[in-house]
Amino acid sequence: MVGQEMYALCGKMFPYCRSITGDGVRATLKALQEVVPEITVHEVLSGTKAFDWTVPKEWRIRDAWIKNSSGDKIVDFKKHNLHVVGYSTSVDKIVSLNELKSVLYTQPDQPDAIPYVTSYYKERYGFCVTQKQFDALTDDNYHIYIDSELFDGSLTYGELIIPGESEQEILISTYFCHPSMANNELSGPAVSVYLAKWLMSLPKRRYTYRFVYVPETIGSLTYMSQGDHLAKMKENVIAGWNLSCVGDDRTYSMVATRYGNTLTDKVTENVLGFIYPDYKHYSFLERGSDERQYNAPGIDLPVCGFSRSKYGEYPEYHTSKDDMGLISPSGLMGAYKVMQECINALEYNRKYKVVCLCEPQLGKRGLYPTLSQKGSYDEVTAMVDFIAYADGKNDLIDISNIIGVPVKNIWPIAEKLVKAELIKVVD
């Protein structure tokens, strides 16, 4: 059910013409608010400093096309919004074939795909077409038209804080700034917003959760530079993920933090190791999304990247082939469940210490079969092994790694042993 709902949300948001600023971002946030109304939307004016960057002018596009001398539209932005280079300036003129080719961009190794091309920080215009369209052009005069504008506006982002018993925070960040790409662009926000909905439904939460919805790169920079966001995050965030490309069915992937030694690395490796042992582990040297900003020197937040097929590693990436057929309800649901397990592992993760010397007598507490027969020990192996490593040094994730049992299967054991007063929490 949740998988279908996430997929339907992606389908709703797919046509929006997003960029790093503009009404496409606002429409996307509005769609997310229909799932979780508590998301707050903020605007940051063009020209605002964001560390070494500056919030750019806002971009608005109304129409764009290319016509041949017969007046036929051979490229039409309204049919596919990837046909225009992102942040293109306006143009309205007749050009020769050679001049037209100088402002056309293709993906030669995928002749029937429209590439995604942007020019955020240098003013220019251009069109994106398939290599087949490019090769079919004839010697003619062409009318090129882009109705767009760059103006002093604002950058838009969304935020949601879900309070817990502790001020310590888990950060979940995702982005949306590309048009009409389903896995790269929409799967992260869809999984994120349904994770938020699930967390808000829980009767209690150990940690506070900070959800951030931004345009990639400039959005995370802007968010952290606003108010006391960075100070609070540096003080409180103990783990976090940047969600990107989490909608396909091919694999699971993680991008490690800068040194790969944080709590986020540990829990992600643990959960993925049990769910999909062949998952792909990328070092921080293979980063490419907002984990770059969150791990930057001086920021130093423990944020991993989490994907199914990682950005840049699947053939449809940044082309029109990254469509609704590439993602699926099951793909989205798989990512959702991984993140749920990571969150639950953190919620229950504590260090425990056994309170008696040698092995405790489990039978008199109703924790062990009263008849000893071949095979009966298997039912409580995990409990006995848990106790063996509950020495006050290992947390739940450490014990899971040592005894080879998923955290989701051993936190109920920990609760039983605490109730029986055989172990105690020591952190």
Side-chain angles (χ1 to χ4, degrees):
M1 183 67 173
V2 173
Q4 293 286 353
E5 290 177 6
M6 290 188 289
Y7 186 79
L9 176 62
C10 290
K12 179 177 182 176
M13 299 186 294
F14 187 82
Y16 302 160
C17 185
R18 281 169 294 274
S19 187
I20 55 174
T21 63
D23 290 337
V25 172
R26 296 183 183 102
T28 303
L29 280 167
K30 185 176 180 182
L32 297 177
Q33 285 178 312
E34 291 175 6
V35 180
V36 177
E38 291 82 359
I39 294 172
T40 59
V41 176
H42 305 266
E43 304 279 351
V44 181
L45 295 177
S46 301
T48 302
K49 292 292 290 182
F51 304 123
D52 197 41
W53 296 58
T54 302
V55 175
K57 290 184 176 182
E58 187 171 334
W59 183 58
R60 181 179 294 143
I61 183 167
R62 287 172 284 266
D63 198 6
W65 40 257
I66 301 173
K67 291 181 180 179
N68 60 23
S69 60
S70 299
D72 301 319
K73 283 186 182 178
I74 61 172
V75 172
D76 189 350
F77 164 78
K78 290 186 176 179
K79 288 187 177 179
H80 205 301
N81 51 34
L82 284 179
H83 273 312
V84 173
V85 170
Y87 258 60
S88 280
T89 54
S90 61
V91 63
D92 184 4
K93 67 177 183 177
I94 307 296
V95 298
S96 67
L97 175 61
N98 283 339
E99 187 175 354
L100 174 63
K101 286 184 174 181
S102 71
V103 295
L104 294 182
Y105 299 86
T106 68
Q107 192 73 31
D109 61 334
Q110 294 174 277
D112 57 349
I114 306 167
Y116 169 59
V117 181
T118 65
S119 183
Y120 296 139
Y121 301 105
K122 180 176 175 58
E123 292 192 8
R124 58 162 57 88
Y125 61 83
F127 294 87
C128 300
V129 297
T130 69
Q131 187 64 43
K132 288 181 178 179
Q133 286 177 300
F134 185 92
D135 293 340
L137 293 170
T138 59
D139 191 11
D140 196 358
N141 290 322
Y142 294 89
H143 187 178
I144 61 174
Y145 176 78
I146 300 176
D147 180 8
S148 66
E149 59 180 323
L150 290 167
F151 59 97
D152 287 331
S154 60
L155 177 148
T156 313
Y157 71 82
E159 179 188 47
L160 173 67
I161 306 294
I162 305 174
E165 295 171 347
S166 168
E167 291 186 0
Q168 289 186 309
E169 292 183 2
I170 310 299
L171 170 66
I172 297 178
S173 181
T174 191
Y175 63 87
F176 40 83
C177 51
H178 307 351
S180 298
M181 284 177 281
N183 197 34
N184 182 208
E185 197 56 25
L186 300 174
S187 61
V191 170
S192 172
V193 78
Y194 275 89
L195 284 170
K197 184 177 181 179
W198 163 67
L199 279 163
M200 293 177 72
S201 73
L202 300 179
K204 66 176 183 177
R205 293 166 296 273
R206 179 181 174 189
Y207 294 114
T208 293
Y209 290 82
R210 182 184 294 261
F211 284 81
V212 176
Y213 301 90
V214 290
E216 195 174 25
T217 304
I218 187 62
S220 56
L221 290 164
T222 300
Y223 179 79
M224 288 190 289
S225 69
Q226 288 290 294
D228 62 355
H229 289 167
L230 180 57
K232 284 190 173 180
M233 292 163 78
K234 284 177 69 69
E235 180 181 1
N236 295 323
V237 171
I238 64 163
W241 290 271
N242 179 55
L243 305 186
S244 172
C245 305
V246 289
D248 69 314
D249 288 281
R250 291 168 174 163
T251 187
Y252 291 94
S253 311
M254 67 170 286
V255 179
T257 60
R258 195 149 49 103
Y259 290 102
N261 60 355
T262 70
L263 177 60
T264 316
D265 294 284
K266 186 166 82 167
V267 71
T268 310
E269 290 164 0
N270 174 276
V271 170
L272 284 177
F274 285 107
I275 288 179
Y276 193 81
D278 294 329
Y279 77 94
K280 296 185 178 181
H281 187 288
Y282 297 91
S283 83
F284 189 68
L285 296 175
E286 298 167 281
R287 66 201 180 278
S289 188
D290 281 332
E291 63 272 4
R292 305 184 337 264
Q293 315 310 329
Y294 294 126
N295 282 273
I299 303 295
D300 300 311
L301 295 174
V303 176
C304 285
F306 173 61
S307 304
R308 300 275 327 226
S309 295
K310 176 179 167 287
Y311 47 80
E313 300 292 332
Y314 60 95
E316 300 88 354
Y317 176 72
H318 274 197
T319 75
S320 58
K321 296 296 185 181
D322 189 348
D323 57 21
M324 290 297 295
L326 181 61
I327 66 173
S328 69
S330 61
L332 294 162
M333 195 65 191
Y336 175 83
K337 286 182 175 179
V338 168
M339 289 308 304
Q340 275 189 318
E341 286 206 24
C342 287
I343 288 168
N344 278 327
L346 292 176
E347 285 279 316
Y348 287 97
N349 193 43
R350 294 186 182 277
K351 291 181 179 178
Y352 296 92
K353 187 173 183 178
V354 65
V355 298
C356 66
L357 296 176
C358 294
E359 287 188 358
Q361 221 276 7
L362 299 179
K364 68 182 183 182
R365 297 175 173 88
L367 299 174
Y368 197 91
T370 55
L371 287 175
S372 180
Q373 184 179 356
K374 184 179 178 180
S376 63
Y377 183 77
D378 295 342
E379 300 174 13
V380 290
T381 299
M383 181 177 292
V384 173
D385 289 345
F386 180 94
I387 292 169
Y389 290 95
D391 57 5
K393 300 175 184 177
N394 299 308
D395 62 21
L396 211 59
I397 301 169
D398 294 326
I399 296 175
S400 168
N401 288 331
I402 293 167
I403 70 174
V405 178
V407 172
K408 67 178 180 180
N409 292 344
I410 60 173
W411 82 59
I413 291 174
E415 290 183 334
K416 286 181 181 179
L417 293 172
V418 168
K419 188 176 180 180
E421 299 182 346
L422 284 176
I423 62 172
K424 64 180 180 180
V425 176
V426 296
D427 67 340

